[in-house]
Amino acid sequence: MNSVFSGLPTTVFETMSRLAREHDAVNLGQGFPDDPGPEDVRRKAAEAVLTGWNQYPPMMGLPELRQAIAAHYRRFQGLDLDPDRETMVTSGATEAIAGALMALIEPGDEVVLFQPLYDAYLPLVLRAGGVPRFVQLRPPHWRFTAADLAAAFSDRTRVVLFNNPLNPAGVVYGREDLALLAEFCVRHDAIAVCDEVWEHVVFDGLKHIPMIALPGMRERTVKIGSAGKIFSLTGWKVGLVAAAPPLMAVLSKAHQFLTFTTPPNLQAAVAFGLMKDDAYFSAMSAGFQRSRDRLVTGLRDLGLGVLSSSGTYFVNVDIGALGEGDDVAFCERLVREVGVAAIPVSAFYAKDAVRTVARFCFAKTDQTIDRALERLAKLEK
Ligand code: GLN
C-alpha cells in the first residue's frame, strides 16, 4: 500500500462531526452552512436532472458554465478569461488541486506550503512526488514576511500552493502580501496554485484580489474556485479552474483521468447561479458577516480571546490562557463535556504546530449560535 495514504488518520472534520453526533453537541466544527442555499439554484439542478442531459458532459465543462465562469470573474474580479481556452470545471476544488499538483510537479520538485494548511494539501503534494517547504504562519496575524519566503523558496521550487482567504485563519491577504508572494514566484519561476474557494466569503467591505491579477502572475497562476462555497452548497463539489492556455492544456490531462466530468445538472445550476445579480453575492457575505458578529460578540462576552476573522466561515479562539491544555485536549473536553464541537487548529500543521487555537464555524442560524454560546458559558465555571 502507498505509505502516504496508509499512514493517514481520518480527517479531523469527520472525526469531530462523529464526536458531535455521539455527544449530541452543537457542531461548530466541520465548515458547512445551516442555510440550505439559494432555492432558485437548487431548483435549476432539479429541473436539469429531470429534463436535461444526463450523459457525459464535455470533459472541460458545459460551455454555458465555462462562459459563466469567465463572465463572473470579469464582473467581480476584473479578469479577462477566454472561456474556451482558460476555464475548466472539476468535481470540487480538491480535485482541481490534486490534478494541478499531479500535472505540474515532477518527483523531487519543491512545493512551498503555508501552515496552517488545509488537510488535503500535504498528502496530495507528497503523493505527486513533491518535496514540501513550509512557511510558518502564527496567530494573531498569520502574516508572512520576505524573510519567511526567502527561507522557503529555492531554485528547485516548482509550485506554491496558496489559500486566500485562508482557512482556518480567517485572513484575507491583500495586495501587498500578494505582491510579495508574486515577486518570489516570478524570481524563482514558480507556478502559484491558488485555492481561492472563499473568494466571495469576505467581510467588512474587503474585496478579494485574485493572485492571477498580480503583475507577472497571469501566465503562472492556476486559480481555483468552488461553487459549493459561493452558493452555500458544500456537498455539490463543483470546482472552477482558470489558467493560461499552456497551463490549462496540461491541467486538463490530469482532469480527464481523475474524474473526467462533473454531473451536468449541477453544472447547469451553477452556470445559472454565477449569473445572479450582485445583490445575491453581497447578501450572502453580509449574512455570514452578521453570523460572525453574533458568535464573536457572544464569545467575547464569555471572556474568551477571539482572533479577528475577515473571511471564510471561521473564527478562532486563543485558548492559551484558559489552562485547558492544548487545543486537542480542549476540543475533546468541549465536545464531550460542554456539548460544542470545534476544530483544533494544530490539525492544520504538519510540523511545529500552533497548539493554542480552536476554530469555530459561524455559518449557522442564530439559534444554533445561541445554543452553542449558552453551552460555552459553562466553560467559565
Ligand atoms: N472545508 C471544510 C472545513 O474546513 C471541511 C471539508 C471536509 O470535511 N473535508 O471545515
Side-chain angles (χ1 to χ4, degrees):
M1 288 183 285
N2 182 268
S3 59
V4 171
F5 291 104
S6 64
L8 281 181
T10 308
T11 86
V12 67
F13 309 112
E14 285 280 337
T15 304
M16 290 311 296
S17 285
R18 184 178 47 74
L19 280 175
R21 281 191 298 275
E22 275 172 27
H23 295 276
D24 202 20
V26 182
N27 191 355
L28 304 189
Q30 193 175 34
F32 59 90
D34 273 353
D35 188 278
E39 185 171 339
D40 53 355
V41 175
R42 289 183 288 130
R43 201 170 285 287
K44 277 280 172 208
E47 278 165 15
V49 88
L50 290 174
T51 61
W53 175 256
N54 287 292
Q55 309 309 331
Y56 300 124
M59 191 262 279
M60 294 298 280
L62 289 188
E64 68 201 82
L65 176 51
R66 300 174 73 197
Q67 266 147 28
I69 293 169
H72 184 86
Y73 284 139
R74 176 186 300 279
R75 171 161 54 129
F76 286 97
Q77 297 175 8
L79 299 179
D80 185 13
L81 298 166
D82 176 348
D84 292 331
R85 300 166 69 224
E86 298 189 307
T87 70
M88 178 170 76
V89 180
T90 56
S91 293
T94 306
E95 187 218 305
I97 294 166
L101 295 171
M102 289 168 71
L104 300 174
I105 295 173
E106 284 277 47
D109 284 346
E110 290 185 0
V111 178
V112 173
L113 296 166
F114 294 76
Q115 299 199 95
L117 78 176
Y118 189 58
D119 64 350
Y121 290 3
L122 183 60
L124 294 175
V125 166
L126 294 172
R127 193 65 185 92
V131 177
R133 300 290 305 267
F134 295 105
V135 175
Q136 180 83 348
L137 306 172
R138 286 185 190 81
H141 299 302
W142 316 95
R143 290 234 127 62
F144 51 85
T145 63
D148 294 332
L149 298 184
F153 277 76
S154 81
D155 53 9
R156 290 180 301 280
T157 306
R158 183 76 197 127
V159 165
V160 180
L161 180 45
F162 185 60
N163 177 214
N164 181 39
L166 178 63
N167 172 16
V171 178
V172 179
Y173 291 102
R175 194 167 295 281
E176 255 179 55
D177 303 295
L178 300 180
L180 182 62
L181 183 56
E183 202 183 297
F184 275 80
C185 290
V186 171
R187 191 183 307 156
H188 292 272
D189 193 20
I191 297 166
V193 175
C194 294
D195 172 352
E196 301 186 350
V197 301
W198 304 101
E199 58 199 344
H200 273 293
V201 192
V202 295
F203 313 128
D204 308 322
L206 289 175
K207 217 170 139 358
H208 171 75
I209 301 169
M211 188 70 172
I212 198 169
L214 271 281
M217 297 307 292
R218 183 66 177 79
E219 307 300 317
R220 58 174 71 253
T221 301
V222 179
K223 173 177 170 54
I224 298 173
S226 161
K229 301 299 192 294
I230 298 176
F231 300 109
S232 306
L233 299 164
T234 59
W236 275 25
K237 306 294 290 180
V238 179
L240 317 173
V241 185
L247 285 173
M248 190 55 89
V250 56
L251 298 175
S252 67
K253 300 289 164 49
H255 167 65
Q256 80 177 346
F257 293 143
L258 268 171
T259 61
F260 177 57
T261 49
T262 298
N265 66 313
L266 299 183
Q267 293 197 50
V270 171
F272 165 82
L274 289 176
M275 301 308 284
K276 280 166 81 76
D277 290 354
D278 292 10
Y280 163 76
F281 300 93
S282 48
M284 183 269 283
S285 58
F288 288 127
Q289 180 173 326
R290 266 196 308 278
S291 301
R292 175 202 63 177
D293 292 344
R294 193 178 190 92
L295 182 61
V296 167
T297 305
L299 292 170
R300 291 215 165 113
D301 287 349
L302 293 175
L304 293 166
V306 183
L307 304 179
S308 84
S309 165
S310 309
T312 75
Y313 295 159
F314 311 111
V315 67
N316 290 295
V317 170
D318 182 347
I319 58 155
L322 294 179
E324 292 270 346
D326 71 5
D327 59 340
V328 174
F330 172 79
C331 290
E332 293 248 329
R333 177 165 117 70
L334 208 62
V335 70
R336 289 177 204 280
E337 294 173 26
V338 178
V340 176
I343 300 287
V345 164
S346 61
F348 293 82
Y349 285 80
K351 57 173 199 176
D352 306 325
V354 167
R355 299 191 185 279
T356 52
V357 180
R359 188 194 82 171
F360 292 79
C361 175
F362 53 72
K364 302 293 167 189
T365 61
D366 289 355
Q367 210 188 0
T368 308
I369 291 173
D370 293 349
R371 216 149 39 87
L373 287 169
E374 273 163 35
R375 292 178 177 199
L376 287 166
K378 283 190 267 176
L379 254 184
E380 280 187 312
K381 291 170 199 143

